[in-house]
Amino acid sequence: MAEDSGYDVYLGHWINWSRGPILGSTLTTSRTDGNLLIAFIAFFVAIVAARFWRIICLVLHFRLSTDQPGDALYHQRQAVLRNASNPEEGFWTFLDLILAWRKSARRPFLRLVPVLLLAAVCIATFTLAGGFSSMVQLSNEDIGSEVLLSGRNCAYTITPDVSSYDYEAIWYPYLARNYGTSADYAQQCYTSKENGSGGILKCGTFVQQRIEFKTNYSAACPFPGNICKTNTSNIFIDTGYLDSHEHFGLNAPPDQRVLIRKTLHCAPLVTEGYKDTFNTTSSKSFTRYYYGKSRDFNFTTRELYDLNYTYAYSNDYRDRNPQHMASYSLGLQASLKDKGNEITGSSFKPIPELDVPRANVFLVFLSANQVRFAEKTLDPWYTATTPQGPRVNLNNPNSDMQVYWMDEPASPLGCTEMMQFCNPTLPEDSPNRCTPLAGLFNADDVTPLFTSDSQSQSESELEAQKARIEWVARAVKGPGISAIILNLSAQSLTSKYAVRQGLQGPIPTNQWQKDVEHWMATILAVNQASFVRTASGPSDDSPVIAQFYKQPENMTERVLCQSQKILSTEYASFSVFGIALILVLGGLIIILSMTLESLLGLLARRLYGELTYAQLEWCTNETLQLQRQVQEGLFGMGSWTGATKNVPMTKTSTQKLGVLDLSERSHPRWGRPDGYVYDHEKGLDLGSMDMWIAAGRNGDGEVMEKKDKKPRLGLQRYDSDEITMVGKVDSGFSGKTRFSLSRGSTTVSDKGWRKKEEPWTVG
């Protein structure tokens, strides 16, 4: 009950009708897969944040762009807007700019603080968005997610024709265990005022951890005769209208739901005038209570017969060994009615003072047996004022205490129990919305509420509606006061928590009301469990237990088997709508950020025939374009293409560019490499192009060059007055492996040299 392990949960997409057909679109996964999905969504939101920041930067960069000369802060701000990849990077860079320029630049705060704040807002917004994105997981780590049972082992209980042994020895103990589990759940989860944290057990299986009900502790007597001990201090419990979907987790759209209402009205009964003493021997006697004729079974004739009394209990319980029967016991008599008529299952016929039309009437007889009371007890059901004598505590033999017997051998409590079914789709003032409050129902009594316009419904729809009503009725109409008493007996009393070794500790004067409240809580817990156990199947694999269950027979029942919700911490449910919304909006932001620059470029070319100044500045402030400008604009190094594209390129892949000049390590800068020789007209770096084997000046100062088909060349510059070309050749150069040309030299004896006619730039 407290743990959800062992339930077969459906994994995949389904509709949670609590949230409607769109918002209720739900995806259930394992906890591991759910964690991966959450991580992916958080990562996706981070990407969206970065792309949204790029849109903001583009807009700001265009807005702040000007063709007038600007100071260094202007260009740095524009460069940061162009190249900050995310709002965090932009925030810290703008903060650095403010700190660096705060004393020297013109109005640095006015120019930078708004952008800084915008970055901060963007960070905060998407940090919150990342946190709230986890809300697509429809769960709480304490109570779990709403999940759907698969219904593979679904089966509902029936009353089979099997042996008495199967009933008495197997089935009834099985029911008692289930009722005991529900009673524990009720004690832990219904008595706590904090939802879901009633005690050491987890209250996290049912969709409603506790079903609230209204209690009137000052109700009138539930019976027509003057038979209650008081007419003003009785208890009336009303569950209100419980929704089969909302309260019991049977997932269904509004037009397929059923409302159920239960009431319980109880009062301690007077015994004077309704009891006598019956002596069986000179020393043995019974107290008989007369609230109507009861029925007993004659095992000889195998027939029921009437007794002229309702209940009898021995008067010699006080004379027994205190170690025997040192606990409470409960007796039960029930009068069950169907449409106002008493049915065969009734165990007594109430006298007129107890007869309530259409209601089930129960008499619960409380016997304390050998239980003594530590104090005089004025609770009207537990009344104990008869002194028993001193009781000695062995831990302190010199101190004793007065204890008391319960006054009645069997103290009677009378209750009426009624229930009602309603169609939630009908108006509240509709006379056909609800059945009358009554004791018992069958599906035929309830079906007309949902088929008032039967002419517009097909026969299959009527049968489906009846099957749904039967499904709900099976789960809620059986468990009641009689089932609680028969299966739990004295274990259903909350006074047991103050009993030790046959001594009842102090109890309040309304202890009986606390017991009745616990009965109702247990009934509702059993109702909740009945829905879940039906969908999950029997918890016992015994073939005898299997006889008491029946598999679904039609499509409606199979759908109902797959419609039961529970709470689980072992699985995760996600809002498909929420995931789709994040992906769609995030995807649109990503696409817009990646296409906005191109779209604006196309628009500018269509309107103006060329890019605007702001667009060109945006382009040239990009990191690779700034690098191109350093190499090209300052040193004339390389021949470049794509000056207005995302990636500028040199005309040839082998062109070598500048290197860092570290002559002043506190002020590094880019500089030309040693031996740099470049032909601007041809766009050739003669110091690195494989097609040039040698170059230099002859004695007349003329620049000479020599080509080779398979050249391999290394180029170095030794000083400013002499150019020395060192080449290594495999063939075609007369076997020479080294040569030099120096200013004033005439050593140009090798063939193949020719005068260089195009201008050179000699580094």
Side-chain angles (χ1 to χ4, degrees), residues 95 140 143 163 229 267 365 387 448 463 627 636 740:
L95 185 61
N140 179 294
I143 63 175
S163 69
K229 285 190 174 182
F365 293 88
E463 289 299 320
Q627 185 185 59
S740 64

XYZ file of all heavy atoms in Angstrom, residues 95 140 143 163 229 267 365 387 448 463 627 636 740:
97
model
N 31.132 44.326 -17.826
C 31.561 44.752 -16.495
C 33.042 45.121 -16.502
O 33.449 46.125 -15.896
C 31.285 43.638 -15.486
C 31.559 43.978 -14.018
C 30.684 45.143 -13.564
C 31.314 42.755 -13.138
N 6.166 15.368 -7.948
C 6.792 15.908 -6.755
C 7.647 14.794 -6.190
O 7.195 13.657 -6.073
C 5.723 16.336 -5.745
C 6.308 16.892 -4.471
O 6.961 16.191 -3.712
N 6.039 18.161 -4.227
N 5.868 12.839 -3.342
C 4.664 12.044 -3.569
C 4.664 11.351 -4.916
O 3.841 10.482 -5.165
C 3.396 12.913 -3.439
C 3.377 14.004 -4.510
C 3.303 13.518 -2.068
C 2.103 14.817 -4.511
N -15.907 -24.219 -2.120
C -16.122 -24.862 -0.824
C -16.048 -23.863 0.323
O -15.452 -22.790 0.203
C -15.068 -25.956 -0.614
O -13.784 -25.367 -0.447
N -28.586 7.592 23.649
C -28.228 8.113 24.964
C -28.295 9.629 24.997
O -28.523 10.220 26.052
C -26.825 7.635 25.347
C -26.760 6.175 25.776
C -25.402 5.837 26.362
C -25.391 4.415 26.912
N -24.082 4.065 27.528
N -24.732 6.543 16.981
C -25.046 7.024 18.329
C -25.008 5.847 19.297
O -25.484 4.746 18.974
C -26.413 7.692 18.362
N -21.633 -4.077 19.085
C -21.595 -4.308 20.523
C -20.141 -4.393 20.974
O -19.381 -5.246 20.509
C -22.341 -5.589 20.884
C -23.827 -5.509 20.640
C -24.368 -5.843 19.397
C -24.687 -5.088 21.641
C -25.729 -5.772 19.173
C -26.061 -5.016 21.420
C -26.580 -5.349 20.180
N -15.991 -0.097 40.122
C -14.656 -0.382 40.685
C -14.349 -1.875 40.654
O -15.216 -2.713 40.903
C -14.747 0.134 42.119
C -15.909 1.074 42.126
C -16.882 0.530 41.115
N -30.061 4.675 -15.241
C -30.954 5.708 -15.794
C -30.434 7.129 -15.625
O -30.792 8.017 -16.408
C -32.256 5.490 -15.008
C -32.236 4.047 -14.636
C -30.791 3.744 -14.360
N -24.635 -0.053 -22.987
C -23.960 -1.159 -22.318
C -22.621 -0.712 -21.742
O -22.226 -1.133 -20.649
C -23.760 -2.320 -23.296
C -25.033 -3.056 -23.665
C -25.703 -3.678 -22.443
O -24.982 -4.215 -21.576
O -26.936 -3.598 -22.351
N 40.353 39.424 -37.293
C 41.665 38.816 -37.522
C 42.160 39.105 -38.931
O 43.330 39.418 -39.156
C 41.566 37.304 -37.285
C 42.892 36.580 -37.377
C 42.700 35.089 -37.251
O 41.984 34.495 -38.057
N 43.332 34.494 -36.252
N 49.483 44.204 -44.657
C 49.352 43.832 -46.060
C 49.668 42.382 -46.298
O 50.172 42.020 -47.363
N 73.767 30.937 -53.292
C 73.451 32.205 -52.649
C 73.581 33.330 -53.640
O 74.376 33.260 -54.579
C 74.384 32.458 -51.456
O 75.720 32.599 -51.913
